[in-house]
Amino acid sequence: MKRLLLILILTLGFQTSTKADDIRDFQIEGISLGDNLLDHFNIEELKQQLKKTNSTYTSKKIKRTWFLIEDYKTYKQIGVHYKVDGSYEIVHVKGTIIYNDINQCYPKLKEIVNDIEKQLPSAKKIDKGKRKHSEFPKTFITNIFFKLKIGQVYLQCIDWDKNTEKKYGWNDHLSVELDTPEFLKWLNNEAYK
């Protein structure tokens, strides 16, 4: 059973337990890595969301989907990757906060970074700074990684260009992602092969 020690930001709902270097002890809207997806969403909800989820992965070992959270504390949208071996084990979870003004994202990102640095002093911080999106050259991403002994925390603010927002219905946002080593290995070596 996981014990909660800290809420990194009161409005963000990003929580950790006493074993902070183990990524499985973090939660986003009550969802942790290693959880069974069906403990949080029923099979019918999952089937409906899979119909709405586009994916370019060629590997069928792990699937991706997302959910809008009605009674959310912080994250209106949750994205998950889970194993398709019958276990429905969550190997990646992402919480998203939508902003109408990207300038609201940066202070919140800074707050989260400061809290993570205080609570996880042994985590290796990699600050990529602000740069152009690889697929949308008029869009800017600001991202920071925290490498832990087991897994990583990935934070980003995305400032979509106005044409992309209009075309796809996307919004500027802050996301907090939790990744297991298994997910990262799959993503880098198998997902597109």
Side-chain angles (χ1 to χ4, degrees):
M1 177 184 231
K2 295 178 177 134
R3 297 173 307 179
L4 299 179
L5 174 66
L6 168 74
I7 298 176
L8 290 177
I9 294 181
L10 294 176
T11 60
L12 254 100
F14 186 64
Q15 303 166 347
T16 182
S17 85
T18 56
K19 293 162 71 176
D21 281 343
D22 189 340
I23 194 71
R24 295 169 296 188
D25 293 325
F26 288 88
Q27 295 183 342
I28 293 179
E29 291 294 327
I31 300 171
S32 297
L33 296 172
D35 286 359
N36 182 316
L37 182 61
L38 299 181
D39 288 341
H40 301 281
F41 304 98
N42 68 49
I43 194 72
E44 290 306 315
E45 289 174 301
L46 176 58
K47 287 178 182 177
Q48 289 301 313
Q49 285 311 115
L50 286 171
K51 290 177 185 176
K52 299 175 187 178
T53 303
N54 295 322
S55 180
T56 57
Y57 299 136
T58 54
S59 171
K60 304 300 181 204
K61 182 178 177 182
I62 293 174
K63 278 193 179 179
R64 174 182 79 84
T65 194
W66 58 275
F67 300 89
L68 290 176
I69 308 299
E70 290 182 26
D71 297 326
Y72 68 95
K73 294 177 184 172
T74 303
Y75 301 101
K76 185 174 185 171
Q77 182 173 314
I78 300 293
V80 294
H81 284 75
Y82 65 96
K83 291 183 184 180
V84 187
D85 62 2
S87 71
Y88 294 92
E89 180 183 340
I90 297 171
V91 294
H92 164 93
V93 62
K94 171 183 176 178
T96 303
I97 301 172
I98 308 285
Y99 290 106
N100 292 323
D101 178 2
I102 192 61
N103 292 316
Q104 295 172 327
C105 186
Y106 302 121
K108 199 61 84 176
L109 176 67
K110 186 175 180 179
E111 285 180 49
I112 297 170
V113 167
N114 289 339
D115 283 341
I116 291 174
E117 288 174 331
K118 288 176 189 172
Q119 296 303 317
L120 303 173
S122 65
K124 180 180 179 186
K125 177 183 170 186
I126 302 168
D127 188 342
K128 296 283 188 169
K130 187 174 184 178
R131 64 192 202 305
K132 289 183 179 182
H133 193 288
S134 60
E135 296 177 47
F136 303 93
K138 294 182 180 178
T139 291
F140 290 91
I141 299 176
T142 302
N143 58 5
I144 298 170
F145 296 83
F146 284 91
K147 300 281 186 182
L148 304 171
K149 290 178 183 174
I150 300 178
Q152 78 175 9
V153 179
Y154 175 66
L155 312 166
Q156 69 177 351
C157 286
I158 296 186
D159 182 8
W160 295 109
D161 68 90
K162 297 303 175 201
N163 290 335
T164 300
E165 285 180 357
K166 186 176 180 181
K167 182 176 179 179
Y168 297 104
W170 295 346
N171 299 93
D172 295 341
H173 66 269
L174 167 69
S175 64
V176 176
E177 301 181 35
L178 308 176
D179 303 314
T180 62
E182 179 181 10
F183 171 74
L184 295 171
K185 183 178 178 184
W186 174 82
L187 187 63
N188 292 324
N189 300 314
E190 187 180 335
Y192 299 101
K193 292 183 181 188

